[in-house]
Amino acid sequence: MTTAARLNTYWITCADGLEPLLVDELTELGAQIEQRVQGRIVVTGTLETAYRICLWSRLASRVLMPIHSHEVTEQRQGDVRDVAEEIYEGAVNFDWSLVFNAGCTFAIRLQTERGVKVNPQFATLRAKDGVVDAFMDSQGRRPSIDTKQPEITLTVLAGVKTHTYSLDLSGDSLHRRGYRQIMTDAPLKENLAAAILRLAGWLFLA
C-alpha cells in the first residue's frame, strides 16, 4: 500500500503583469491554482510539483514554501507600530531546527506589503537575530550568515496583519539559471523575454 503524496502550499512569484501567463504555465506543470494576487500565484501541489516548477518554469521568479506565520497584535489607537520587533518575535518563537540545522548557512530576504512602513535593512537584521536566538535557546549553537551563497534562504513577508516566513526553494531568482551566454548593452531578464515569446505564441512547454 502506498501513501498519498503530501500536498503543500507554495507561493510562486513573478514580475507584475505576468500573473495570467504564469497561471497557465503552472497549470501545465501540474499545480493547482488557489489564488492570484499581484506578483504572486498561490498554488497547492506535492514537493515534486514545486521542484518541477523550479526546473521548468520560464516565467516564475521564485518558488516559496510558507512554513510559519506570526499574527500581529492589534494596535491601540495612537500606538506606534514596531514592525521590526514584530518580525523578531515571530522568528524567535519558531523551531527553525524543523527546517535546517545549526551547521547550515542562511540568509534572509525581506518583502513588505503595501502600507507596512519599516526600515528594510534593520527589519532584515532583526529577522536574522530571531532565527539565531531561537537556535541558541534550543540548541546552544547558531547557524552562520552567508549573504552570497547561503545553503538556506528564508523570505519574510512583512504584512499588515500577519508576517509570513517562507523557505525559498529556488535559492536565487529563477532567471539566473545560467541560460544567458553573453551580456548586451540592454539585457532583458530571461523570464520577461519568455513572457514576450509566449504572448507571441512562440513559446510553450516542451
Side-chain angles (χ1 to χ4, degrees):
M1 181 180 296
T2 59
T3 302
R6 177 183 174 184
L7 294 178
N8 290 304
T9 298
Y10 302 99
W11 291 1
I12 317 301
T13 68
C14 65
D16 290 351
L18 300 190
E19 297 89 354
L21 293 174
L22 182 57
V23 165
D24 291 341
E25 183 186 61
L26 294 176
T27 301
E28 293 170 8
L29 289 170
Q32 177 67 43
I33 308 301
E34 300 295 337
Q35 185 183 21
R36 188 178 91 183
V37 297
Q38 184 176 11
R40 181 174 75 238
I41 308 299
V42 179
V43 307
T44 54
T46 63
L47 187 59
E48 179 186 350
T49 305
Y51 288 157
R52 190 182 304 119
I53 295 169
C54 286
L55 181 63
W56 292 112
S57 175
R58 296 178 172 98
L59 306 177
S61 296
R62 294 180 183 275
V63 179
L64 307 178
M65 178 193 290
I67 54 177
H68 172 53
S69 61
H70 176 67
E71 292 187 6
V72 177
T73 303
E74 186 175 351
Q75 301 291 307
R76 293 177 298 179
Q77 189 172 6
D79 286 350
V80 177
R81 184 179 176 186
D82 192 337
V83 176
E85 289 310 302
E86 295 169 0
I87 291 172
Y88 172 82
E89 291 176 7
V92 78
N93 289 307
F94 181 72
D95 184 2
W96 293 100
S97 66
L98 297 172
V99 182
F100 65 104
N101 63 59
C104 294
T105 60
F106 79 103
I108 300 282
R109 295 179 62 252
L110 180 76
Q111 299 175 342
T112 58
E113 288 183 352
R114 291 183 180 180
V116 176
K117 297 181 180 180
V118 65
N119 181 296
Q121 289 80 17
F122 183 64
T124 301
L125 177 63
R126 292 304 284 155
K128 181 269 296 179
D129 290 343
V131 174
V132 168
D133 288 349
F135 269 104
M136 290 298 296
D137 290 344
S138 64
Q139 300 187 15
R141 55 194 294 250
R142 51 160 291 174
S144 299
I145 307 298
D146 186 342
T147 58
K148 293 184 178 179
Q149 290 186 317
E151 295 173 276
I152 300 294
T153 302
L154 302 174
T155 296
V156 180
L157 175 62
V160 175
K161 297 182 179 180
T162 304
H163 304 315
T164 305
Y165 305 74
S166 300
L167 177 63
D168 189 337
L169 299 182
S170 47
D172 203 350
S173 180
L174 291 177
H175 82 276
R176 297 180 176 178
R177 286 177 286 191
Y179 300 149
R180 185 179 302 175
Q181 299 299 312
I182 60 173
M183 290 292 291
T184 63
D185 292 336
L188 185 65
K189 284 186 177 180
E190 286 83 346
N191 47 9
L192 181 55
I196 294 172
L197 291 174
R198 181 147 184 147
L199 279 172
W202 288 4
L203 180 62
F204 299 93
L205 288 179

